Amino acid sequence: MTGLLTRVMHDHADAAAAEVDVDEIISEGDRRVRRQRVRHGLVAAVLAGAVVAGASSVPLLVGGSHDPTAGGLSFRHRAATYAVGSSVHVGGHTFDVGRPVASLVQTDGGIVYTTRDGRVWHYDGVTTVEIGRAEGHRLRADDQGSLVAWVETAEDGHPQYVVHSTMRRAELARLDDDAAGPARAAGDLGTEVFAVDDGSVYLRRDGDLVRYDVPSDTEAALAGAEPGTAAEIVDVAYGALAYTVDGTRPGNRRPGIAVGQRPDPEGVALAAAGTGALSPDGRLLAADEHGTMAIYAADDGLDVTPTVDGYRDVVAYDWVGDDMATVLAVSDRRGARVTGDVLTCDVSDDACSVVSSFRDVAATDIVTAGGDPAH
């Protein structure tokens, strides 16, 4: 997920205000087998004083020795993961990292998060260690594996790409870039890490879209991408790329997100959106179309959005399986505070289940495991 929930919640909060009522790199074979398992992690946590039934609270003093893995938490199995303040919620487990979380991602080797001062931390279930500093609090990780990447500013002021393995507990790569600085907004051609997939990091380097292969320490411009393109890579999963198209090509007048094996200026937008999330196998694209949840089949554009009734605002912000989307559904909004549920929706069966609830939470305090900040 690359900013989907962040943007939606900001839009909804603004609207409400106007209304006053508002690895080590795992082997390809192992990874592909693991992708087929639906991960049934459920969100259960304490949000703004509202206790979710069934949550397992795991206290942690930063640098302490309490190991939540002893209570059954395995970071290798993806679960609905998010933070409120310094409390991080991973499935049925809750632990406190001692610092307010600005952004976070889940990896096989633990949680990687940023704090409000931009510092990057790795929590492995036992200890918390500082591992860097991320510009814009943006982190990127794969839906399986231990790699996490971000942009960091060097002492001379130039941006650098950093790739870290939470399983090896080591930095694997640091690449310099000659750009004037990190990206501050979509399309400004600044340095940016877009996605991590199968041991590769997708980034903008010297103004071009590039795939950097971590094991071989090699990089190549993405086939089909025009030099200096303002296109953005939205997400990458199982080799499939979700990318933006501007809708200015003959016969392709709809801007939005297209999906393919490479960026194609002639690509046809599946979703009229700028952010979204691909399912782990790359078959489905979840996006927010002007405040409305939409899920499309990547191959033929078929609308497979599950039915979710009884809520004011609904957005699919992550995936816990190839067909299982994680959905945030807001039932009530008062000013910038929201009440609602977290659902899992089986796209293949058009069925959704409530897995946790939140009450009277500031929309901008909800930080989901997509690597983007809430603010």
Side-chain angles (χ1 to χ4, degrees):
M1 178 233 178
T2 54
L4 182 61
L5 179 62
T6 301
R7 188 173 63 83
V8 172
M9 296 307 288
H10 275 237
D11 289 345
H12 291 169
D14 291 342
E19 299 168 2
V20 179
D21 186 35
V22 145
D23 208 286
E24 145 182 21
I25 302 158
I26 58 178
S27 69
E28 172 70 6
D30 178 56
R31 184 171 187 271
R32 292 185 179 228
V33 170
R34 290 167 61 193
R35 277 188 180 274
Q36 303 308 313
R37 296 203 300 259
V38 175
R39 299 176 291 276
H40 295 287
L42 307 181
V43 175
V46 178
L47 287 178
V51 180
V52 180
S56 174
S57 181
V58 183
L60 169 74
L61 295 177
V62 174
S65 59
H66 193 98
D67 184 1
T69 59
L73 172 61
S74 171
F75 289 116
R76 287 181 178 271
H77 300 286
R78 296 298 187 264
T81 299
Y82 63 98
V84 177
S86 61
S87 295
V88 177
H89 313 281
V90 181
H93 298 266
T94 304
F95 47 90
D96 197 299
V97 295
R99 307 170 178 88
V101 173
S103 63
L104 79 161
V105 292
Q106 181 182 348
T107 74
D108 284 8
I111 300 296
V112 176
Y113 65 95
T114 67
T115 43
R116 293 171 184 173
D117 58 4
R119 290 187 291 174
V120 183
W121 305 83
H122 171 212
Y123 169 64
D124 64 2
V126 180
T127 59
T128 301
V129 178
E130 183 178 358
I131 57 175
R133 183 177 292 270
E135 289 292 338
H137 298 100
R138 290 190 293 267
L139 303 170
R140 293 295 178 259
D142 200 356
D143 54 82
Q144 293 288 349
S146 73
L147 296 185
V148 58
W150 63 86
V151 174
E152 189 165 315
T153 300
E155 292 184 0
D156 64 2
H158 282 83
Q160 297 178 322
Y161 301 98
V162 178
V163 183
H164 185 93
S165 168
T166 57
M167 295 296 287
R168 295 184 181 181
R169 293 175 172 81
E171 183 178 295
L172 301 187
R174 181 175 290 264
L175 310 175
D176 291 319
D177 194 280
D178 293 329
R184 300 300 181 186
D188 70 1
L189 303 185
T191 302
E192 185 170 359
V193 175
F194 295 109
V196 178
D197 182 62
D198 267 352
S200 292
V201 179
Y202 293 78
L203 47 87
R204 189 189 304 282
R205 187 163 170 79
D206 298 327
D208 297 329
L209 300 182
V210 170
R211 182 177 69 87
Y212 171 69
D213 184 69
V214 180
S216 64
D217 188 29
T218 59
E219 61 183 69
L222 292 182
E226 298 176 331
T229 179
E232 304 275 333
I233 298 175
V234 175
D235 199 7
V236 184
Y238 210 35
L241 276 72
Y243 58 95
T244 60
V245 290
D246 58 18
T248 62
R249 305 284 174 157
N252 181 17
R253 297 300 184 182
R254 185 192 188 206
I257 303 174
V259 178
Q261 295 301 306
R262 60 183 178 82
D264 182 0
E266 306 292 341
V268 177
L270 298 179
T275 59
L278 286 168
S279 60
D281 59 7
R283 293 184 303 107
L284 302 171
L285 172 69
D288 174 74
E289 293 187 316
H290 311 297
T292 301
M293 178 177 74
I295 298 180
Y296 296 102
D299 57 355
D300 59 9
L302 180 67
D303 188 339
V304 294
T305 307
T307 303
V308 183
D309 295 324
Y311 296 94
R312 294 184 55 167
D313 305 306
V314 180
V315 58
Y317 67 87
D318 203 358
W319 295 85
V320 294
D322 291 341
D323 294 294
M324 192 74 71
T326 305
V327 175
L328 185 140
V330 174
S331 58
D332 186 52
R333 188 176 64 230
R334 297 183 182 278
R337 303 187 71 83
V338 294
T339 293
D341 302 308
V342 173
L343 319 173
T344 53
C345 292
D346 190 329
V347 176
S348 61
D349 291 340
D350 190 22
C352 298
S353 300
V354 175
V355 297
S356 69
S357 301
F358 52 90
R359 297 178 183 275
D360 193 29
V361 178
T364 53
D365 283 349
I366 302 175
V367 181
T368 57
D372 286 301
H375 301 285

